[in-house]
Amino acid sequence: MNFPTYIATRYLFAKKSHNAINIISAISVVCITIGTMALVIVLSVFNGFDDIIRKQFNSFDPQLRITVAEGKTFPNNSPKIRQLSSISEIQAFSKTVEENVLLKYGEKQYIATIKGVDENYLKVNTVDTAIIDGEFKLKDGNTSFAVIGQGVGYFLQVGLQFVNPIVVYVLRKDAPISANPQNAVNQKYIYPSGVFGVEAETDAKYIIVPLDFAQSLLEDTVSLTAIELRLKDGVDMKHAKEKIQQALGSQFLVKDRYEQKELFYRIMKYEKWAIFFILSFILIIASFNVIGSLAVLIIEKRKDIAIMSSMGADEKLIRHVFQVEGLYISLSGAVFGVILGLIICWAQIQFGLLQLSGSGSFIIDAYPVSIRLVDILFVFFTVLAIGFIASRYTVKVIVKRYLTKNP
């Protein structure tokens, strides 16, 4: 242990002549502990919500989604699309068609997006695990069924028994000019078989039907909106995406799950770090306690400063003693804060201490928590950096003032 560290350690634990200094130091540690603990808990809760949302999205969004770069649809017999069967990284793919339609159920009407999917759809997606009523069934012999989003079902007030069919209307692309508006609209009937719940926006938008039903409704059996892919286990996502993009060329776009919901994930990330900086600002305010503690300690130890100076210690060495003292205070608060934050997060994970109000309407009952090492390290070193900067400036100003004074 070098000289500045030894003296700083003595100053930290030794009893001061004025009890107020001990109290101020203790308050400094407590304030930093609380701020650090809050950062750990809040970031972990954000991570928990992020994991749940990703899990819900992953049941509907495919690992990779192929769309056309320009326009809306592309032919399903394209030579480049046929190359997908020869790409070894792909486990399965599903052809899909999407179009905005008008739904009618009883007296209720609602505009939604019909999504026609082929028989490979459940090999690519796990939306069947998100069924909250009924079952995921699109075909029973020659009869077609629909699986609707929870939001669509709510607006249409679809009954639990699915007694009546849903009427689906869509504008014809080559509708002739006619005095009768019905000539410009195609309509088909389909019975709902189940209701899925993923997240509000998706639930209020989609109705999933068989691909042949959607193509018959749209009077187009050759066009596709997208192809959804599932990769084999252990395949590197980035490498596979680049390989598929290279095989398809610039005419097509290959997007992973993040890119499919890029805006949403970006907002989630910004919200998380906005909260981090707000709490960090609170920590900066709490660091004024460290400044006050060091200022009072330096004033009390002005005789020691004069003695060390007369023994040959220069200003840099004396400043280092009190900088280490300030770092010790910040380090103590950071360590205690991280430990307390981790304990509270663990307790929330194990026992669900803090419940969500009205939890019956959520997919979870308690606030979710996910502890990530990178966040813990970031919080820890941020607290140390704030403490170091605060103590460095304070020590530099006050030590210089008392260094030349006689005791």
Side-chain angles (χ1 to χ4, degrees):
M1 183 181 294
N2 58 28
F3 177 75
T5 304
Y6 174 76
I7 298 298
T9 304
R10 290 290 303 273
Y11 284 169
L12 181 65
F13 295 105
K15 185 176 180 181
K16 281 75 173 178
S17 59
H18 299 284
N19 192 44
I21 301 177
N22 294 320
I23 296 176
I24 294 174
S25 298
I27 292 175
S28 302
V29 174
V30 170
C31 290
I32 295 175
T33 298
I34 294 174
T36 305
M37 179 183 67
L39 275 172
V40 171
I41 294 173
V42 170
L43 293 185
S44 297
V45 170
F46 262 93
N47 293 336
F49 277 113
D50 182 67
D51 289 346
I52 288 177
I53 291 172
R54 287 178 183 272
K55 183 179 179 180
Q56 291 299 108
F57 277 158
N58 290 352
S59 65
F60 191 85
D61 296 330
Q63 287 181 308
L64 293 175
R65 191 169 190 263
I66 300 172
T67 57
V68 68
E70 295 183 2
K72 183 177 179 181
T73 62
F74 55 91
N76 60 9
N77 57 355
S78 170
K80 291 187 176 182
I81 297 300
R82 290 198 292 267
Q83 294 181 23
L84 294 176
S85 301
S86 62
I87 298 178
S88 59
E89 288 81 358
I90 298 176
Q91 178 174 314
F93 62 88
S94 173
K95 299 177 180 179
T96 66
V97 171
E98 293 185 14
E99 186 58 73
N100 293 330
V101 296
L102 174 66
L103 305 177
K104 183 179 180 182
Y105 187 81
E107 299 300 321
K108 300 292 183 179
Q109 297 182 8
Y110 184 70
I111 296 177
T113 298
I114 191 172
K115 182 172 183 175
V117 300
D118 62 15
E119 63 277 3
N120 292 329
Y121 186 64
L122 291 185
K123 296 179 182 179
V124 175
N125 290 283
T126 59
V127 69
D128 55 324
T129 62
I131 296 295
I132 59 176
D133 188 27
E135 61 179 325
F136 191 96
K137 181 174 70 172
L138 298 180
K139 279 286 188 179
D140 187 1
N142 293 326
T143 305
S144 297
F145 292 90
V147 179
I148 63 176
Q150 185 178 12
V152 176
Y154 172 79
F155 286 110
L156 290 178
Q157 295 186 0
V158 176
L160 296 178
Q161 302 303 321
F162 309 130
V163 180
N164 300 319
I166 297 175
V167 187
V168 185
Y169 299 92
V170 65
L171 289 174
R172 298 176 60 185
K173 296 180 180 179
D174 55 349
I177 299 176
S178 172
N180 187 358
Q182 290 187 349
N183 293 335
V185 177
N186 284 337
Q187 74 175 55
K188 291 180 74 69
Y189 297 85
I190 192 167
Y191 281 90
S193 63
V195 178
F196 67 87
V198 177
E199 58 86 30
E201 183 179 355
T202 302
D203 297 346
K205 180 180 180 181
Y206 283 103
I207 169 173
I208 304 174
V209 300
L211 181 61
D212 57 357
F213 177 89
Q215 290 176 330
S216 174
L217 177 70
L218 300 173
E219 296 181 337
D220 186 350
T221 60
V222 298
S223 297
L224 299 175
T225 304
I227 296 180
E228 301 183 356
L229 308 178
R230 179 180 179 85
L231 303 178
K232 294 180 179 178
D233 294 339
V235 171
D236 181 76
M237 173 74 72
K238 183 178 179 180
H239 173 75
K241 177 187 171 185
E242 292 175 351
K243 182 177 180 180
I244 295 170
Q245 182 67 74
Q246 185 176 7
L248 296 177
S250 59
Q251 181 183 354
F252 295 91
L253 297 177
V254 183
K255 295 183 178 181
D256 57 27
R257 281 171 173 153
Y258 177 83
E259 292 169 329
Q260 293 169 45
K261 291 284 192 299
E262 183 176 3
L263 179 61
F264 179 83
Y265 287 128
R266 189 181 299 172
I267 291 174
M268 284 283 294
K269 184 177 180 180
Y270 288 162
E271 286 180 344
K272 172 183 174 180
W273 293 112
I275 293 295
F276 173 83
F277 285 118
I278 291 172
L279 293 178
S280 295
F281 181 75
I282 296 175
L283 268 176
I284 292 175
I285 297 175
S287 68
F288 282 102
N289 290 284
V290 179
I291 295 174
S293 177
L294 287 176
V296 174
L297 180 63
I298 293 171
I299 293 172
E300 186 195 58
K301 300 299 181 181
R302 60 187 183 277
K303 292 184 179 180
D304 293 0
I305 293 174
I307 293 172
M308 286 187 287
S309 178
S310 63
M311 294 177 63
D314 57 11
E315 181 182 344
K316 182 179 179 180
L317 180 62
I318 297 173
R319 286 206 314 262
H320 190 50
V321 170
F322 293 100
Q323 286 173 4
V324 173
E325 173 81 6
L327 191 60
Y328 276 166
I329 295 174
S330 299
L331 180 62
S332 301
V335 171
F336 291 145
V338 167
I339 293 174
L340 287 176
L342 291 177
I343 291 174
I344 294 174
C345 288
W346 174 85
Q348 179 68 14
I349 294 172
Q350 295 296 321
F351 308 109
L353 302 177
L354 191 58
Q355 299 287 314
L356 287 165
S357 59
S359 57
S361 59
F362 294 100
I363 59 175
I364 52 175
D365 296 325
Y367 279 92
V369 173
S370 176
I371 301 172
R372 296 179 185 173
L373 179 60
V374 63
D375 288 344
I376 303 302
L377 293 176
F378 197 75
V379 168
F380 182 80
F381 287 111
T382 298
V383 174
L384 290 186
I386 292 173
F388 174 78
I389 294 172
S391 60
R392 181 182 178 85
Y393 176 77
T394 305
V395 169
K396 182 178 180 181
V397 173
I398 301 179
V399 167
K400 188 173 183 179
R401 177 180 178 183
Y402 286 98
L403 187 61
T404 57
K405 289 186 177 183
N406 293 322

